[in-house]
């Protein structure tokens, strides 16, 4: 899994913890585990129709052309189910995260206890189809930025509970991550500015409170852009600027701050805005308008 390996040790540790917790939550949702209790595979009343000693081999196929993301989540599903049953499930992957596959490609083979495979099927595929959908849409948007230096960013408009998972999937699709949450960078928006008494005061307070964190300010006019530049903002988000305004913004900034374009972003607009010379384009659609990939599991 090259994308996991590319993360720092600290990032890998944080992501793995999130994977463990998210998968446990998802299995509990399916198995009806009570709060504070570990999910128990024996609570799958349909799988219990199968003799406990039965084993099986199954393959999972993608019915769609896509970019793959989510191997670690699938592995974790069966790791936790195995811990619950004391049995052993083996998964053989034929693809990697970030890999482009054609329709009807076999993604992995799974073997082990038949009950366990069926109990984990939907939870595992839910993660894989959703994250691969995120990665695939990101890749589509990235294609519109070829031969430019503009970076495609995600946003916090993620599915609840899947923040780090979807941001990982964006990396698999070739995109980049904006801030993870409300704790790791400032994004001072219209209401923050109003409550703080202006852009200058908001930026000054941010730099005083957390001098080592990036300060980004969202602006809605060229006048606000000038204020944000004078205040020493690190990044300035141009919200719903027209192409003409963006050209003026690039000239006004002249490298004093990084510029990000956001707001009602479509594929058609990406190339135009990138050619204007902005540093970043953020797109909420990457994580909220995705189409899950069509996956199918079949027993041999």
């Amino acid at each position: 899994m090259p994308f996991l390996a590319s993360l720092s040790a600290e990032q890998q540790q944080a992501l793995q913890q999130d994977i463990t917790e998210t998968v446990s939550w998802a299995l509990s949702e399916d198995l009806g585990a009570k709060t504070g209790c570990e999910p128990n595979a024996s609570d799958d009343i349909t799988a219990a129709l199968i003799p406990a000693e039965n084993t099986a081999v199954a393959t999972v196929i993608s019915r769609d052309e896509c970019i793959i993301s989510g191997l670690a989540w699938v592995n974790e599903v069966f790791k936790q189910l195995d811990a619950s049953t004391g049995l052993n499930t083996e998964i053989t992957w034929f693809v990697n995260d970030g890999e482009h596959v054609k329709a009807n490609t076999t993604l992995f083979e799974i073997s082990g206890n038949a009950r366990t495979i069926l109990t984990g099927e939907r939870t595992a595929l839910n993660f894989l189809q959703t994250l691969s959908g995120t990665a695939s849409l990101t890749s589509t948007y990235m294609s519109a930025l070829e031969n430019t230096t503009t970076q495609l960013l995600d946003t916090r408009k993620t599915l609840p509970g899947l923040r780090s998972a979807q941001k990982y999937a964006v990396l698999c699709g070739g995109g980049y991550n904006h801030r993870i949450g409300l704790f790791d960078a400032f994004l001072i928006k219209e209401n923050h500015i109003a409550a703080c008494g202006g852009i200058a005061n908001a930026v000054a307070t941010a730099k005083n409170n957390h001098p080592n964190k990036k300060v980004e300010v969202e602006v809605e006019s060229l006048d606000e852009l000038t204020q944000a530049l004078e205040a020493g903002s690190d990044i300035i988000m141009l919200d719903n600027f027209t192409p003409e305004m963006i050209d003026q913004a690039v000239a006004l900034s002249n490298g004093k701050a990084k510029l990000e374009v956001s707001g009602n972003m479509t594929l058609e607009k990406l190339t135009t805005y990138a050619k204007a010379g902005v540093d970043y384009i953020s797109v909420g659609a990457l994580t909220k308008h995705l189409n899950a990939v069509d996956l199918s599991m079949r027993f041999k």
Side-chain angles (χ1 to χ4, degrees), residues 150 243 246-247 250 271-278:
T150 302
I246 290 173
D247 287 337
V250 171
T271 303
T272 299
Y273 289 156
K275 287 181 178 178
V278 298

Side-chain angles (χ1 to χ4, degrees), residues 196-207:
C196 288
I199 290 174
N201 192 48
V203 172
T205 304
K207 288 181 175 291

Side-chain angles (χ1 to χ4, degrees), residues 149-151 238 246 250 259-261 273-274 276-281:
T149 59
T150 302
Q151 291 186 1
L238 312 176
I246 290 173
V250 171
L259 296 181
E260 175 184 337
V261 175
Y273 289 156
V278 298
D279 301 283
Y280 311 113
I281 296 177

Side-chain angles (χ1 to χ4, degrees), residues 214-231:
K214 293 287 186 183
V215 178
E216 180 169 2
V217 178
E218 181 184 65
V219 301
E220 298 177 342
S221 67
L222 292 172
D223 178 61
E224 287 186 348
L225 169 65
T226 301
Q227 294 178 51
L229 288 169
E230 291 175 349

Side-chain angles (χ1 to χ4, degrees), residues 36-284:
C37 298
E38 294 295 324
N40 191 328
S42 64
D43 290 330
D44 181 350
I45 61 174
T46 308
L49 299 174
I50 302 167
E53 68 277 8
N54 279 22
T55 60
V57 178
T59 57
V60 169
I61 295 170
S62 173
R63 298 300 186 189
D64 295 326
E65 183 175 359
C66 66
I67 304 294
I68 296 298
S69 181
L71 274 67
W73 285 261
V74 173
N75 292 339
E76 183 65 24
V77 167
F78 291 100
K79 176 183 176 182
Q80 292 191 22
L81 289 175
D82 283 348
S84 169
T85 61
L87 300 171
N88 184 49
T89 305
E90 294 187 1
I91 300 176
T92 302
W93 286 96
F94 305 116
V95 296
N96 287 306
D97 282 338
E99 185 173 337
H100 176 271
V101 301
K102 295 181 179 179
N104 299 314
T105 296
T106 300
L107 306 182
F108 66 90
E109 181 178 274
I110 183 168
S111 61
N113 181 266
R115 288 184 177 183
T116 302
I117 293 173
L118 288 169
T119 296
E121 174 188 0
R122 177 43 51 205
T123 302
L125 296 192
N126 280 349
F127 282 112
L128 190 60
Q129 71 186 22
T130 301
L131 300 187
S132 295
T134 301
S136 300
L137 185 57
T138 301
S139 178
T140 299
Y141 272 80
M142 282 297 298
S143 65
L145 295 177
E146 288 181 359
N147 303 316
T148 75
T149 59
T150 302
Q151 291 186 1
L152 177 68
L153 302 179
D154 53 26
T155 70
R156 288 170 47 239
K157 296 174 182 177
T158 52
L159 299 175
L162 292 180
R163 172 68 54 79
S164 64
Q166 284 195 285
K167 283 185 171 283
Y168 173 77
V170 166
L171 298 180
C172 292
Y176 296 84
N177 295 152
H178 207 291
R179 60 177 181 162
I180 301 301
L182 300 174
F183 60 91
D184 56 325
F186 289 98
L187 179 45
I188 301 170
K189 307 186 83 171
E190 178 184 7
N191 289 329
H192 299 105
I193 293 168
C196 288
I199 290 174
N201 192 48
V203 172
T205 304
K207 288 181 175 291
N208 180 69
N209 288 353
H210 296 281
N212 296 322
K213 294 190 183 295
K214 293 287 186 183
V215 178
E216 180 169 2
V217 178
E218 181 184 65
V219 301
E220 298 177 342
S221 67
L222 292 172
D223 178 61
E224 287 186 348
L225 169 65
T226 301
Q227 294 178 51
L229 288 169
E230 291 175 349
S233 306
D234 299 301
I235 307 169
I236 300 174
M237 180 186 289
L238 312 176
D239 185 45
N240 288 311
F241 271 41
T242 65
E244 294 76 17
M245 291 173 67
I246 290 173
D247 287 337
Q248 294 177 64
V250 171
L252 276 171
S253 177
N254 195 28
K256 296 173 187 173
K258 298 287 187 181
L259 296 181
E260 175 184 337
V261 175
S262 181
N264 299 313
M265 198 55 54
T266 64
L267 275 170
E268 293 73 25
K269 294 178 181 178
L270 285 183
T271 303
T272 299
Y273 289 156
K275 287 181 178 178
V278 298
D279 301 283
Y280 311 113
I281 296 177
S282 55
V283 181

